[in-house]
Amino acid sequence: MTAPTPTIPASDTIRPALDFDLPPALATPPGAGAVCDKDGARKIGRGAAEGYLLGGPVIVTHAAITARRLGLEAPPRSAMILDALELFAFVRPARFCAPSPTGLALALGRAEPKGAEAQASVLREAVGDLLNELADPAYPAREEAYTLALTMERAGWSWGPMVTKALEAGGIRDRQSRGSGLDVWARMTEWEDEAPRGEAGSAPVDSESARIRLEKLLRSSGLDETRPAQSDYAAEAAFAFSPRQEEGRPRVLLAEAGTGTGKTMGYLAPASLWAERNQGAAWISTYTRALQRQIDRESHALWPDEAERRRKAVVRKGRENYLCLLNLQDMVQAAQLGNGDIIGMALATRWAAHSRDGDMTGGDYPGWLSGLFAVASAHQASPANLVDRRGECVHAACPHYRLCFVEKTIRASRRADLVVANHALVMTQAAFDGARTARGLKQDGETAALKRIVFDEGHHLFDAADSAFSAALSGQEAAELRRWIRGPEGRGRRGRGLEQRLGDLCADNEAARNALSDAIRAAAQLPGEGVSGRIAPASGEVNPIGPIERFLVAALEQLRARAAETGGTEFGLECSLRPVTETLREASREAAQALAAVEAPLLSLARHLEDILDEEAAELDPSARARIEGSLRGLDRRARMTLPGWRSMLAALDESGAEPDPDFVDWLSAEAAFGRIHDVALRRHWIDPTVPLEAAVIMPSHGVLVTSATLSDPSAEDPFDLARMRSGAARLIEPARTLKVDSPFDYANNSRVIVVNDLMKDDPRQIASAMRELFLAAGGGGLGLFTAIRRLKAVYERLGPDLAKAGIPLYAQHVDPLEVGALVDVFRAENDSCLLGTDAVRDGVDVPGRSLRVLAFDRVPWPRPDLLHKARREKFGSGSHGRTYDDALARGRIAQAFGRLIRRADDKGVFIMLDAACPTRLFSALPPGTEVMRLGLAEAVDLTKDFLKTD
C-alpha cells in the first residue's frame, strides 16, 4: 500500500472551508422506501422513490439494485445519481464492504440500521463520514488521490466536486500541472528475483510439538483454552508432516473434524512448524474462495506483523484471477479516447494501487463495483475484461512484467511458509508439470514444491479432479483456441495472437517463422466468433464454416435424435456417443484432420523455441528467455495436451465396432439457456478421476492431509471407505490413516431438523408459500437451497413480494446482479434478510450468528442422473441399482448444508427439508444428538417460531 503523505506546511497548501450540501439519500428495502435530507428521514411510496431516483440528484447504495427494486432498468452513470459504494471504493480502496446500506454502515463502524428510515439516515451519515475522512490532513497519499479525483471530475463523476473539495480541505500542493493519475503502473513497486530456496528438509513434526504450537496460536488469537478435540486433531495431523520412508509412499491422513473443532488452526499448527523447520512451503488447498479468505485471515495468529505475514503466507490462484496491468492500460487508453468508462477505470486503478496482491476474484477487489450502473460489458472494469483469461500474456515482452501481480505472487510463493491455493490450481499445475518432467524438462517452480499438501474441503476433491482432468471439444473451446493463435479478428476487439506475442522472437529463425505462419493459417479452419449462431441458429437454418463447425452440427443432429433418452432440456441435452451416426463419423474424420493441421506447426514452433533456448543460451538476455519459457508453457498446454486429447476423442468415433475405453465416458452434450442452444460439445471424463489425481498429485508428494467436516459416511460398514475412493487414497501402497473428531456443539439443544410431509415438492407455489411462512416465523435469516435454477426463480417471483410486505429483504443467486460472494456478504451483514441459492451458495456460506437461523431445502439433493453419474454409480455403487452410492452423495450434501447452520456454540437454527419423500436414512450423517421430526407445514411453522424466539 502507498505510504502516507507527510504533513504539508500551511504556506504551501490550499485550505478552503469545508461545507457540503448533500443531496437526499434514498433507501429502498423491500416493501418500503425512505428518503433522508437535511430535514431528517421519512417514509415515501414507490412513486416518490422513482421520482427521486430518476429526477436526482440523489444518494443511493448500489444503483442497479435500487432501480430493480423499483421495477426499473439499471440506470447509466450520471451526475444525478451518487452511489455511496463508489465513494467508499475511492476513499477506502481494497477494503471490504458488503454492497448494501447495512454493509456500508458496518464497514464504517456504525450499528446495523433497522428499517427504511434508519437505512436512509445512515446512508447520508456514511457519506459524511467518508468525505470527512478525505478532509482529514492525515489521510494517506492525498496528492495521488487528488490527481485522480480531478480526472474523474472532468469525466463527469457525480462525486467529483465533493471529493476534490474534501481533499483540498486537508491540504493540497499548488501545482501548475498534474497528470491524469490513471497510470498506476508508474507508481508500483517492481518484484525482484531471489536465489532459489532449495529443496525442503525432512525434519519431522511430532505430535507434542504440534500441540504446543497450537497453544501458542490460540493465545496469539486471544483464546486462553485449547479444546481437547482440537489439540488431538493437531497432534494427529502431524502425521502428514512426518518424513516418508520410501518414494511413492506418501503419508496420507483422512481426517474428519466436525464444525466447531477448529480444524484450520489444528492443521496450521503442524504445517507452519514443518515449514519453519524445513525451509519449505506447506500448501493449503481449498475448494471455495471463502475458505481461502478465512485461512488467510487466520494466518494472522502465526504472524501478527502484517509485513511478515505477507512474506510468510501467500494466497495463490490461477493466472486468470489476477489483474493484468497491460489489459488495464489498454482499457484506460481507450477510455481516455472516448471509447470506454473512464470513471470505472479510474476506480480500478485506485484499487490496483492499494491491493494486496491484485486478486480480482475473491481477493480485495470489490466484485460489485462494475455492476453499479448500466455500462456496456466490453467497457466494464470487471474481471472479465481485466484479467488474462485467454492465455494471451506476452510475459517478459510486457512493459509491466516486473510489476505483474501474477509474477509477484509466483515468486512470493517460492519463498513462503504457507501457500493458500485451490484444488483446481494444484491439480492442473501438477498434471502439467508432471507431463513436462516426463519429457525431461524442468519444472518451473509453481508446483515443484508440492511436497506437503492439506486439502481442506476434502469432500470436493473428487469433483475438482473430475473438472481438472476432463476434456471437451466444443464450439466455444475451439473458438478460444483460434483466438489464442490468430488474435481477435473483429473490429475494435482487444487481445494478442501468436504473431504479436512471438513474432519478434522468431524473426531471425526461418524455421520458427514458417511454423508460426503455418499455425496461424491452419487455425482459420477452427470456429470463429459467433459459432453458436451458425451451428444452432434460432431460425434453424444452419450455416457451418469449416470442418469443426460441420462436426458440431452433425453432433447436434445426433443429440436431437436421441436426447429423449436422458430426459428433457432443463439441464441442456446429452446423449450416448455410441452408436455413432454415419454423418457424425464422416464429420469427425474431417475435424481430426483439421486439428492435426493446427497441432503439427504448433509442435514445430515449440521445438524451434526450445532450440533457441539451447543454441543461443549465451546470447539470450533474461527478458527473451523468460518470454520463450512462458510461451512454451502455453504451447505445451495446447499442442501437447489439448489438441492430442481432442484428436483422441475424435479417433474413437471413427473406430467402427471398437469397444469403448473402460476408464472413460465419452458423450455428446448441448448447453441451453432461455430455450436456445448456445454450445455443443464432445466430452470425455475419467470414470474415476482419482486415477490421474493420485498419479499427478498424491504419489509424488511426501505427505497429504485430506480434511473436511463431512468426510465419512456413518451408514457404511467402513465410514471412510467412500472417502478413500473419492480422494485417491484407496490405491496407495501404504494405507491412509483415518481420524474422526466430533463437533463440540450441543446440536440436541441448539438445532431442530424437520421434514415437512404435506407439500407437493413439484408445485413451486407450495414451496414458495412454505418458505414464506417459515422465514416469516423466524423473522428472516432464512436460506433456501434449490437443486435447479428454474425452480429457484419460480419460487423467488412468488416469495419476494410476500416477504417485502413484512420488510424482509430477499436476495437470490441467478437473479440479483451480484456474484455469489457478494450475495453472501450482504446476507451475513443483514441479520434479517433471506437468500435463495443453489449448491454454490451451500458450499460458500460461512454465516455465524442470527443472520442464518433457518435453512430449507426444496427437495432431496440427489445427484443428477446424467450419463457420467450413471457410469460412476455402476462402478462404485452397490446394492439395488447403486442405491448406496447415491445415498452417500446425498447424505454428504445434506450434512454439508446442515453444517452451514450452526457455526458457533451459541448459534440456534432449524434445518427443514420440504420433500416428504426424503428417506430417514439420509440424515444419519448429521451430528449425534440431532432428531428428525416429520411434521405438517403448520406444525413446522409453529415449532420454528417457538424455537427461535428471543428475549
Side-chain angles (χ1 to χ4, degrees):
M1 185 175 291
T2 307
T5 302
T7 303
I8 302 168
S11 60
D12 196 27
T13 62
I14 306 168
R15 292 181 183 276
L18 188 62
D19 180 24
F20 294 112
D21 183 17
L22 294 177
L26 175 66
T28 57
V35 67
C36 179
D37 54 24
K38 60 185 178 181
D39 297 324
R42 60 188 180 278
K43 290 185 177 179
I44 58 174
R46 176 170 171 171
E50 285 186 27
Y52 275 102
L53 183 65
L54 298 177
V58 64
I59 299 171
V60 299
T61 309
H62 207 299
I65 291 181
T66 300
R68 188 177 180 282
R69 285 178 175 165
L70 297 174
L72 304 172
E73 295 293 325
R77 184 180 280 111
S78 77
M80 293 293 100
I81 301 179
L82 296 87
D83 198 313
L85 291 174
E86 279 197 334
L87 180 62
F88 182 91
F90 183 91
V91 178
R92 297 190 178 185
R95 299 275 290 277
F96 173 77
C97 177
S100 70
T102 298
L104 187 62
L106 296 177
L108 295 175
R110 292 178 171 272
E112 178 186 359
K114 299 285 189 179
E117 291 169 289
Q119 289 186 16
S121 295
V122 82
L123 179 53
R124 204 160 188 265
E125 292 164 3
V127 166
D129 289 347
L130 290 169
L131 292 171
N132 285 325
E133 193 171 321
L134 288 176
D136 187 334
Y139 185 76
R142 173 178 306 282
E143 295 287 331
E144 178 185 315
Y146 184 68
T147 299
L148 189 63
L150 286 175
T151 298
M152 297 172 73
E153 183 179 3
R154 288 192 295 269
W157 189 35
S158 55
W159 290 109
M162 280 185 271
V163 166
T164 54
K165 183 178 179 180
L167 287 166
E168 288 168 355
I172 293 296
R173 293 183 185 276
D174 188 7
R175 296 182 177 178
Q176 293 295 321
S177 63
R178 293 177 179 270
S180 68
L182 293 167
D183 55 343
V184 63
W185 43 86
R187 299 182 298 279
M188 296 175 69
T189 304
E190 293 185 347
W191 53 261
E192 294 183 359
D193 255 335
E194 298 184 47
R197 193 177 191 180
E199 285 288 324
S202 298
V205 176
D206 60 275
S207 298
E208 189 58 32
S209 296
R211 292 183 193 271
I212 294 170
R213 171 57 62 93
L214 176 63
E215 290 179 9
K216 291 181 179 178
L217 291 181
L218 294 175
R219 284 199 298 271
S220 178
S221 300
L223 302 173
D224 296 329
E225 287 190 16
T226 303
R227 288 165 278 184
Q230 186 181 29
S231 182
D232 292 344
Y233 177 90
E236 290 294 326
F239 172 73
F241 298 93
S242 58
R244 66 179 184 180
Q245 301 304 307
E246 295 180 36
E247 184 181 10
R249 293 194 174 195
R251 299 297 181 95
V252 178
L253 174 66
L254 306 178
E256 176 174 294
T259 305
T261 302
K263 64 175 168 48
T264 303
M265 284 292 193
Y267 61 64
L268 285 181
S272 61
L273 199 55
W274 178 86
E276 184 180 296
R277 289 179 176 178
N278 293 286
Q279 298 300 297
W283 283 59
I284 315 296
S285 179
T286 76
Y287 188 70
T288 62
R289 297 168 185 165
L291 186 56
Q292 266 190 309
R293 290 195 298 266
Q294 178 187 325
I295 295 169
D296 184 44
R297 287 194 302 268
E298 296 202 22
S299 69
H300 280 276
L302 284 163
W303 303 288
D305 179 72
E306 182 63 22
E308 182 183 19
R309 188 176 75 87
R310 290 192 178 201
R311 293 194 305 272
K312 297 286 191 178
V314 174
V315 176
R316 183 76 177 87
K317 297 182 179 181
R319 182 175 293 271
E320 68 279 1
N321 292 279
Y322 296 94
L323 172 71
C324 170
L325 288 170
L326 190 55
N327 282 351
L328 177 64
Q329 182 180 11
D330 287 349
M331 293 197 70
V332 164
Q333 290 175 345
Q336 287 177 305
L337 294 172
N339 186 27
D341 175 23
I342 199 166
I343 294 170
M345 289 301 122
L347 290 170
T349 63
R350 180 92 173 126
W351 163 78
H354 295 79
S355 174
R356 173 184 172 183
D357 55 10
D359 180 4
M360 296 195 77
T361 60
D364 52 21
Y365 183 75
W368 38 259
L369 188 56
S370 60
L372 300 180
F373 293 98
V375 176
S377 59
H379 297 156
Q380 290 178 357
S382 65
N385 291 323
L386 293 176
V387 305
D388 176 24
R389 293 188 183 278
R390 303 176 185 275
E392 295 177 339
C393 180
V394 296
H395 301 283
C398 177
H400 310 306
Y401 179 65
R402 297 194 62 82
L403 303 171
C404 177
F405 286 114
V406 177
E407 298 296 333
K408 282 183 181 179
T409 305
I410 291 173
R411 282 156 180 77
S413 68
R414 294 172 183 170
R415 308 291 300 180
D417 282 7
L418 291 179
V419 179
V420 186
N422 54 64
H423 297 351
L425 174 71
V426 168
M427 291 177 198
T428 55
Q429 292 295 342
F432 182 72
D433 285 341
R436 288 174 64 85
T437 301
R439 292 172 39 234
L441 300 174
K442 69 173 185 176
Q443 297 182 20
D444 71 350
E446 289 199 49
T447 55
L450 265 177
K451 297 295 183 280
R452 306 287 173 173
I453 316 171
V454 176
F455 284 112
D456 203 340
E457 298 180 302
H459 58 285
H460 281 302
L461 207 50
F462 188 92
D463 295 328
D466 182 39
S467 177
F469 299 110
S470 61
L473 170 54
S474 70
Q476 296 301 327
E477 290 289 329
E480 281 293 312
L481 178 58
R482 174 176 173 142
R483 179 188 170 106
W484 182 82
I485 296 171
R486 295 175 62 89
E489 297 172 279
R491 291 185 61 187
R493 300 284 185 173
R494 293 171 44 254
R496 294 164 286 278
L498 279 182
E499 178 65 42
Q500 288 77 22
R501 302 200 300 275
L502 295 176
D504 61 322
L505 290 174
C506 302
D508 297 329
N509 187 307
E510 183 179 358
R513 196 168 60 249
N514 290 338
L516 176 59
S517 298
D518 290 345
I520 293 172
R521 189 181 309 110
Q525 299 184 81
L526 298 172
E529 293 184 18
V531 55
S532 62
R534 293 189 295 274
I535 65 175
S539 65
E541 297 180 7
V542 298
N543 181 33
I545 300 175
I548 307 300
E549 292 190 14
R550 287 193 291 272
F551 167 76
L552 295 173
V553 168
L556 185 55
E557 289 176 358
Q558 179 168 320
L559 266 167
R560 284 173 167 155
R562 301 177 184 172
E565 298 173 12
T566 57
T569 59
E570 180 179 346
F571 304 101
L573 302 172
E574 67 170 27
C575 77
S576 300
L577 190 58
R578 292 178 174 80
V580 180
T581 65
E582 190 56 37
T583 303
L584 183 60
R585 193 186 311 280
E586 291 178 2
S588 71
R589 295 184 189 123
E590 293 183 16
Q593 291 172 1
L595 294 179
V598 176
E599 181 183 334
L602 289 180
L603 286 172
S604 177
L605 178 60
R607 287 192 293 267
H608 290 308
L609 290 176
E610 289 167 354
D611 290 342
I612 292 173
L613 285 179
D614 179 28
E615 297 166 3
E616 301 179 21
E619 295 84 19
L620 277 178
D621 63 76
S623 174
R625 175 173 292 278
R627 284 181 63 194
I628 294 174
E629 289 177 345
S631 299
L632 281 173
R633 287 187 65 86
L635 286 167
D636 278 356
R637 193 179 299 278
R638 290 162 179 84
R640 291 192 170 103
M641 298 176 73
T642 300
L643 281 165
W646 287 355
R647 288 198 303 105
S648 174
M649 293 159 63
L650 291 170
L653 274 71
D654 199 24
E655 296 171 0
S656 180
E659 287 296 319
D661 191 321
D663 291 330
F664 297 97
V665 179
D666 292 355
W667 77 98
L668 300 173
S669 71
E671 297 178 9
F674 306 107
R676 286 192 57 185
I677 290 172
H678 59 83
D679 204 5
V680 180
L682 168 62
R683 300 185 179 278
R684 169 171 287 182
H685 284 239
W686 285 84
I687 294 179
D688 184 358
T690 67
V691 172
L693 168 65
E694 179 196 20
V697 183
I698 307 295
M699 290 289 283
S701 67
H702 290 220
V704 178
L705 169 61
V706 180
T707 189
S708 169
T710 56
L711 207 56
S712 69
D713 181 7
S715 296
E717 184 176 338
D718 179 348
F720 281 92
D721 192 40
L722 187 66
R724 290 190 188 90
M725 183 275 293
R726 290 176 65 84
S727 65
R731 292 179 300 276
L732 293 176
I733 300 172
E734 183 172 327
R737 286 192 184 182
T738 60
L739 171 70
K740 182 176 172 62
V741 180
D742 289 332
S743 169
F745 294 157
D746 184 359
Y747 290 101
N749 288 317
N750 289 4
S751 67
R752 295 291 182 268
V753 180
I754 302 171
V755 177
V756 177
N757 58 17
D758 58 355
L759 296 176
M760 292 179 61
K761 65 181 180 183
D762 294 322
D763 185 350
R765 291 172 300 178
Q766 292 195 35
I767 299 300
S769 62
M771 286 190 177
R772 177 193 66 214
E773 297 304 321
L774 291 164
F775 292 171
L776 289 174
L783 173 61
L785 294 178
F786 294 79
T787 57
I789 297 172
R790 176 180 54 83
R791 291 197 300 274
L792 181 155
K793 291 181 176 180
V795 169
Y796 176 86
E797 291 174 0
R798 293 171 172 83
L799 183 58
D802 291 338
L803 291 183
K805 293 175 183 176
I808 296 177
L810 178 66
Y811 302 95
Q813 183 190 8
H814 303 293
V815 176
D816 285 302
L818 293 172
E819 48 92 22
V820 171
L823 282 172
V824 174
D825 289 339
V826 173
F827 180 60
R828 184 187 298 112
E830 299 179 359
N831 273 335
D832 299 327
S833 66
C834 294
L835 174 63
L836 306 182
T838 58
D839 52 359
V841 172
R842 179 194 71 217
D843 294 330
V845 170
D846 181 22
V847 183
R850 279 183 51 78
S851 292
L852 174 54
R853 48 193 182 269
V854 175
L855 190 151
F857 255 117
D858 79 317
R859 61 179 59 199
V860 176
W862 295 114
R864 184 157 57 93
D866 55 24
L867 293 168
L868 181 58
H869 176 73
K870 289 177 181 177
R872 287 174 175 163
R873 183 168 58 191
E874 183 177 344
K875 181 178 179 66
F876 303 128
S878 60
S880 176
H881 304 295
R883 191 188 80 176
T884 55
Y885 183 65
D886 286 351
D887 280 5
L889 297 183
R891 246 192 315 271
R893 293 171 182 177
I894 289 174
Q896 270 296 311
F898 182 84
R900 306 295 95 190
L901 190 60
I902 307 293
R903 305 300 292 171
R904 62 190 190 195
D906 59 347
D907 276 358
K908 293 183 70 174
V910 180
F911 182 93
I912 301 166
M913 178 66 71
L914 301 177
D915 186 347
C918 181
T920 301
R921 65 180 184 272
L922 297 185
F923 294 101
S924 62
L926 299 187
T930 53
E931 176 188 354
V932 179
M933 295 173 282
R934 293 183 178 272
L935 306 172
L937 178 60
E939 296 173 285
V941 169
D942 289 342
L943 187 150
T944 298
K945 188 172 185 178
D946 291 341
F947 181 69
L948 294 176
K949 66 183 178 184
T950 61
D951 297 336

